[in-house]
Amino acid sequence: WQPGMMVPDTHRLDVPEGLEAGAYRLVTGMYPTVLLNRRLPALTANGETLGDAVTIGWLKVPQRQAAAAEAMPVNATLGEVFDLTSADVQQGADGLVTVRLVWAAQVERPALDATVFVHVVDANNQIIAQQDSRPWGGQYPTFIWGAGEAVLTEARLDVQGAALGELRVLAGMYVLPETRPLEAVQDGETAADGRVVIYEGGGQP
């Protein structure tokens, strides 16, 4: 090879059958043939070290099922990018509340890596339980979602012995490093604090 030469290099990879749904990085690197256990360092154009491999893209294995069995429709849009289309809120015999949300992106592979939050509040609008997590613990990030693809997220919350009927459940999104929620519109109205109401028990707005 000569300096500056562009050298095409094609590879075909088989995706293992039964691979779990989620995002997988495609990386590449090099090593001298005689030193199989020593990869060459990877650098940026500015000479910054990237390690021994470079991310060249992302592979998505789609979710196989997104519908929540007893989901109720939700009409909300967050950040003018994500639609929250339905929610299923159930309290188990152990007292934990399980919240299943179905989302859809309005665009192909949004340029946002959003975190989903779920808040459970009491009659005084005080948060008694919350969970913040990137979808599937980061394994199904928003930046791989397809336009219109239904994506299911789930949260399990300890409501400290309270009955679900006495509570309200709200959800939203933010994008780190900011923790300010994305603007949310529900049923045509701006949602307070970027929080969409997905279950209304005995709490007060």
Side-chain angles (χ1 to χ4, degrees), residues 125-150:
N125 207 31
Q126 298 299 305
I127 297 175
I128 64 169
Q130 74 177 80
Q131 181 174 313
D132 297 42
S133 177
R134 294 166 66 230
W136 289 36
Q139 183 59 21
Y140 212 82
T142 56
F143 62 79
I144 69 166
W145 293 6
E149 175 190 6

Side-chain angles (χ1 to χ4, degrees), residues 25-145:
R25 286 194 305 147
L26 295 174
V27 301
T28 187
M30 301 180 76
Y31 57 83
T33 303
V34 294
L35 298 172
L36 300 181
N37 62 345
R38 184 183 301 173
R39 296 178 180 176
L40 299 177
L43 306 174
T44 67
N46 297 325
E48 298 174 356
T49 301
L50 294 174
D52 60 9
V54 179
T55 299
I56 57 174
W58 290 86
L59 169 71
K60 180 177 77 171
V61 177
Q63 288 185 334
R64 294 167 180 81
Q65 181 177 358
E70 300 180 21
M72 298 295 292
V74 178
N75 178 25
T77 299
L78 293 89
E80 299 182 342
V81 177
F82 303 104
D83 293 328
L84 180 53
T85 62
S86 65
D88 176 44
V89 181
Q90 302 287 336
Q91 187 169 33
D94 57 4
L96 297 179
V97 171
T98 299
V99 179
R100 297 181 178 90
L101 305 173
V102 178
W103 306 84
Q106 296 182 3
V107 298
E108 189 73 16
R109 298 206 173 192
L112 294 172
D113 187 4
T115 295
V116 174
F117 67 81
V118 178
H119 293 170
V120 180
V121 301
D122 61 16
N124 296 315
N125 207 31
Q126 298 299 305
I127 297 175
I128 64 169
Q130 74 177 80
Q131 181 174 313
D132 297 42
S133 177
R134 294 166 66 230
W136 289 36
Q139 183 59 21
Y140 212 82
T142 56
F143 62 79
I144 69 166
W145 293 6

Side-chain angles (χ1 to χ4, degrees), residues 10-31:
T10 302
H11 299 266
R12 293 179 61 87
L13 304 173
D14 291 327
V15 177
E17 185 176 352
L19 187 65
E20 289 294 324
Y24 295 87
R25 286 194 305 147
L26 295 174
V27 301
T28 187
M30 301 180 76
Y31 57 83

